[in-house]
Amino acid sequence: MFAKILIANRGEIACRVIRTARKLGVRTVAVYSDADARSLHVEMADEAVHIGPSRVGESYLRGDKIIAAALTTGAQAIHPGYGFLSENPDFADQVTAAGLIFIGPSAASIRAMGLKDAAKRLMEKAGVPVVPGYHGEAQEIVLLASKAREIGYPVLIKARAGGGGKGMRRVEHPDEFSEALSSARREAKAAFGDDRVLVEKYVDKPRHIEVQVFGDNFGNAVHLYERDCSAQRRHQKVIEESPAPGMTEALRKAMTDAAVKAAKAINYSGAGTIEFIVDASQGLKADRFWFMEMNTRLQVEHPVTEMVTGTDLVEWQLRVASGEKLPKTQSEIALTGHAFEARIYAEDAAKGFLPATGTLHHLRFPDAAPQGATMRIETGVRAGDAISPYYDPMIAKLVVHATDRQAALEALGAALSRTEIAGSTVNTAFLAALAADPDFAAGDVDTSLIGRHQAALTIVPPPSGETIAAAAVAASGAGASPLSDDPWSSLAGYAHFHSVARRTWLKFGEDDIAAKVSVRPDGRFQVALEKPYDDTNSHDFRAAPRLARWPGHITVFEGAVGYTFAVSDPLARADEAAASAGSLRAPMPGLVKLVRVGKGDTVIKGQPLLILEAMKMEHTIAAPHDGVIAEIATEGAQVTDGTVLVRFVGEQAASTAVAS
């Protein structure tokens, strides 16, 4: 076993690797950028080396700096985690050339599976079923459009070097093909440096089911059963589970046999995932699944496999890379119970899952799983950490395991309802709604489920009167310690004939709320809410509501929903109203990728004006109303959240940009 390894990653996966390394007595070296100087993975590691500025191209993608850090600190091997350089064969070669061990597959294996088109041709030769489509080298638009017509619409354009839904477009009609191809190519070029694509038949009711495989350097390869990753938004996974609901023994055998065959075809060593698309339109059948791609690394969702098989896949990685054989044979790997993983992101589900930033002023996960279940929280952040625009905005992975799917699903819902995050917009309410969705609960899932139900899944009911009253009471007691269990204690006071009423102002969304809070002789609070709520009631808060106070705000938690109220300064509200005079502003930090109109152009409501790229995804900014362009951002401009993108002649737009 290694004495010391370097982890060429950050955040949750770096922390995950450190925990297993510590268990095995292996010392760890972290690397970090400017933005991560005080991050959790740096604190957890035995040593840490600064490798550059916050942008990934100047830090986490600098293989030369990472290898230099490993050599300087005496590390024997490099664990790449997932993302960044984890599937870069050139980096794997460079690690080996430096006399270090790459904790992952060989560069040859990564290259064999790194390009979707070449990988599918290889799988066809190995006897693994692949999706009908065009996987050739020629990329002329006329040829690709012709192949799409031959395959039959709808088709799916996919970046051949892609992953995570980037560079992927569904096309319903030939007239849409050219625009979809251009968009997919731009996104693929930005994300992977390769704009080449393949074109495949779009499966009508697709399930995304993948198989965890593991190989060693002695010719052994096993599978650790399947994971269902069909719950996706914008082609990115949201909730994963194992085993797949409705899985038949016939399909499981066919699929796992094909996965092991694929791994052996490239002499695979280490952790890998064979991803399949399954046609579920007539149920799960052994002859209706096809190879999509192989991820030659540890997957984000690997904990669900660990939960149902009782394994530590990171430990397996370290043992295999250090020259040991696989810890178990196929017959020794059993499937027990059911597990779910929910990815908690800083994002606004109601606005098309736009990534969010902010400081996590309050972060609290459940202390324990419901009775009969077990739970893991995989995270790389703590309360007080910032979600920056430089990296993926995942906050944590909430993983539960129970005896069966129903029990595990109930445990997931309960855990989400007790998760509290304030300081950034998060997706916990959306995840809880998805877990409770009747189709999802019944196991009737496919990759379009979230899209079909998106309106219902992302709608958040307005706060109840009691929630608003709790926020008003907390705001009125602003003099109390934010750390106190009773943040309203400062309200108690002497009044000879009547209780003392305190007036407070809150803002929720666009609503300004004025409230009068009084303390009754029996210790309860009477809250009078003025327009638009007009509610006068008594609220007993002896059992303190779940809330978090943070600078200028109060977040009250109802189940998985966090309602955030701004505590208004009445003297500043007139200035805010004056400042809202309108311009069309960026809804998030990003890069102006493409401008579709110019100064002086007349536009109509809903017309695309420009494309903003954020987190390597493209977002179309549309006109909020008819008008004439007075000013518009220039292509290539890097903008921050709230930057003015467009001004109109005459009437000014007062709304924030909406991305589609």
Side-chain angles (χ1 to χ4, degrees):
M1 180 53 66
F2 304 114
K4 182 189 289 188
I5 65 171
L6 180 142
I7 303 162
N9 218 295
R10 63 175 301 280
E12 173 270 324
I13 186 57
C15 295
R16 166 74 185 88
V17 175
I18 291 170
R19 284 195 297 273
T20 288
R22 184 180 295 164
K23 180 182 71 174
L24 297 175
V26 178
R27 292 179 61 80
T28 55
V29 180
V31 293
Y32 65 93
S33 67
D34 289 347
D36 283 337
R38 294 178 177 82
S39 64
L40 182 58
H41 79 281
V42 171
E43 179 183 293
M44 289 178 63
D46 297 298
E47 301 173 56
V49 178
H50 177 250
I51 55 170
S54 301
R55 296 185 183 279
V56 296
E58 300 175 78
S59 52
Y60 295 107
L61 292 180
R62 287 292 301 272
D64 57 336
K65 291 186 176 182
I66 291 168
I67 291 171
L71 294 172
T72 300
T73 57
Q76 299 159 288
I78 294 179
H79 193 301
Y82 53 71
F84 295 142
L85 296 169
S86 63
E87 294 181 281
N88 186 315
D90 294 336
F91 177 64
D93 274 337
Q94 291 160 9
V95 170
T96 303
L100 303 168
I101 294 175
F102 182 75
I103 303 175
S106 67
S109 293
I110 298 174
R111 286 191 178 95
M113 290 298 190
L115 299 176
K116 287 186 173 69
D117 52 355
K120 288 181 178 180
R121 292 194 295 269
L122 177 62
M123 290 298 99
E124 283 181 304
K125 291 180 181 178
V128 177
V130 300
V131 182
Y134 173 71
H135 308 130
E137 291 288 341
Q139 292 288 301
E140 293 81 4
I141 185 173
V142 174
L143 173 66
L144 294 176
S146 173
K147 293 296 183 181
R149 285 193 296 272
E150 290 177 16
I151 295 165
Y153 285 88
V155 297
L156 198 63
I157 300 172
K158 299 171 70 173
R160 75 166 195 162
K166 297 178 179 68
M168 183 183 296
R169 297 291 186 275
R170 177 181 174 175
V171 188
E172 297 284 348
H173 191 273
D175 292 345
E176 303 168 1
F177 188 84
S178 178
E179 176 66 22
L181 177 63
S182 297
S183 179
R185 280 177 164 167
R186 284 195 305 271
E187 196 167 273
K189 184 69 173 178
F192 314 111
D194 185 344
D195 66 356
R196 287 170 289 184
V197 301
L198 49 85
V199 183
E200 293 181 342
K201 177 65 179 174
Y202 184 84
V203 179
D204 186 49
K205 189 176 182 181
R207 288 270 294 273
H208 179 139
I209 302 177
E210 60 190 32
V211 176
Q212 177 73 60
V213 294
F214 222 106
D216 63 20
N217 295 309
F218 299 89
N220 302 308
V222 297
H223 71 80
L224 291 95
Y225 301 96
E226 80 279 356
R227 297 184 290 257
D228 194 304
C229 306
S230 301
Q232 302 179 5
R233 61 13 172 199
R234 299 173 66 168
H235 305 295
Q236 294 182 316
K237 301 165 187 175
V238 175
I239 295 180
E240 302 98 343
E241 61 182 299
S242 181
M247 175 60 73
T248 65
E249 286 303 319
L251 178 57
R252 175 174 290 143
K253 178 170 176 31
M255 189 174 286
T256 54
D257 284 352
V260 172
K261 184 185 297 184
K264 288 186 174 181
I266 56 171
N267 299 313
Y268 195 79
S269 176
T273 299
I274 310 296
E275 299 193 348
F276 296 102
I277 189 167
V278 182
D279 183 354
S281 59
Q282 299 178 15
L284 299 184
K285 296 185 178 181
D287 62 347
R288 302 295 291 170
F289 75 96
W290 303 278
F291 172 87
M292 285 198 301
E293 63 181 333
M294 182 179 189
N295 289 307
T296 52
R297 55 170 168 79
L298 196 67
Q299 291 280 89
V300 177
E301 60 273 18
H302 75 273
V304 294
T305 293
E306 294 182 323
M307 294 289 244
V308 296
T309 59
T311 58
D312 182 334
L313 295 179
V314 174
E315 179 178 343
W316 282 35
Q317 285 186 298
L318 297 180
R319 292 194 180 281
V320 166
S322 66
E324 298 181 23
K325 290 185 177 181
L326 288 175
K328 291 184 179 181
T329 63
Q330 189 65 69
S331 62
E332 294 174 316
I333 304 170
L335 180 65
T336 305
H338 202 100
F340 284 97
E341 175 183 288
R343 302 188 188 189
I344 300 175
Y345 276 94
E347 66 181 13
D348 193 336
K351 293 183 178 178
F353 304 100
L354 292 180
T357 56
T359 298
L360 302 175
H361 291 283
H362 178 84
L363 181 65
R364 181 178 296 167
F365 298 107
D367 295 327
Q371 187 173 4
T374 56
M375 179 181 66
R376 285 167 57 174
I377 303 295
E378 300 283 352
T379 186
V381 296
R382 304 148 297 187
D385 286 350
I387 303 298
S388 80
Y390 298 107
Y391 314 118
D392 184 271
M394 187 170 69
I395 295 171
K397 301 183 306 194
L398 193 159
V399 191
V400 296
H401 177 262
T403 54
D404 56 46
R405 189 175 191 270
Q406 182 60 37
L409 191 59
E410 290 174 0
L412 177 65
L416 286 167
S417 71
R418 300 201 309 275
T419 297
E420 301 175 4
I421 304 173
S424 177
T425 303
V426 295
N427 68 340
T428 49
F430 162 73
L431 292 171
L434 177 58
D437 178 83
D439 287 347
F440 185 82
D444 183 15
V445 294
D446 62 77
T447 58
S448 300
L449 183 147
I450 290 176
R452 292 194 303 272
H453 298 187
Q454 188 165 330
L457 293 173
T458 56
I459 190 170
V460 176
S464 66
E466 184 168 344
T467 293
I468 300 170
V473 172
S476 297
S481 167
L483 302 178
S484 170
D485 291 333
D486 177 16
W488 311 285
S489 58
S490 65
L491 285 174
Y494 173 76
H496 188 62
F497 293 111
H498 58 82
S499 62
V500 176
R502 295 197 180 188
R503 190 177 181 89
T504 188
W505 289 266
L506 301 170
K507 190 174 186 68
F508 181 76
E510 298 300 316
D511 293 339
D512 291 303
I513 305 168
K516 288 183 179 179
V517 181
S518 303
V519 185
R520 293 167 53 100
D522 62 3
R524 291 186 297 167
F525 296 95
Q526 180 171 305
V527 182
L529 302 177
E530 299 179 359
K531 290 182 179 181
Y533 295 96
D534 294 327
D535 173 44
T536 303
N537 209 337
S538 295
H539 297 276
D540 187 348
F541 293 113
R542 286 194 181 93
R546 296 162 55 217
L547 59 82
R549 296 164 51 126
W550 47 287
H553 299 81
I554 292 165
T555 300
V556 182
F557 301 99
E558 282 188 16
V561 183
Y563 293 99
T564 294
F565 300 83
V567 180
S568 299
D569 177 355
L571 298 177
R573 289 178 358 180
D575 292 340
E576 292 176 3
S580 66
S583 25
L584 191 60
R585 298 176 181 272
M588 61 198 149
L591 174 73
V592 178
K593 193 71 174 179
L594 180 68
V595 175
R596 295 180 176 274
V597 296
K599 182 177 180 180
D601 287 353
T602 300
V603 297
I604 61 174
K605 182 177 180 180
Q607 180 178 341
L609 303 180
L610 56 85
I611 293 175
L612 186 68
E613 180 188 85
M615 304 295 182
K616 297 184 180 177
M617 299 289 283
E618 292 188 352
H619 309 275
T620 299
I621 305 300
H625 56 70
D626 297 352
V628 177
I629 302 296
E631 298 176 35
I632 190 163
T634 57
E635 285 187 13
Q638 189 76 41
V639 299
T640 59
D641 188 6
T643 298
V644 174
L645 297 175
V646 184
R647 294 188 189 278
F648 294 89
V649 173
E651 181 186 354
Q652 299 292 300
S655 61
T656 297
V658 176
S660 61

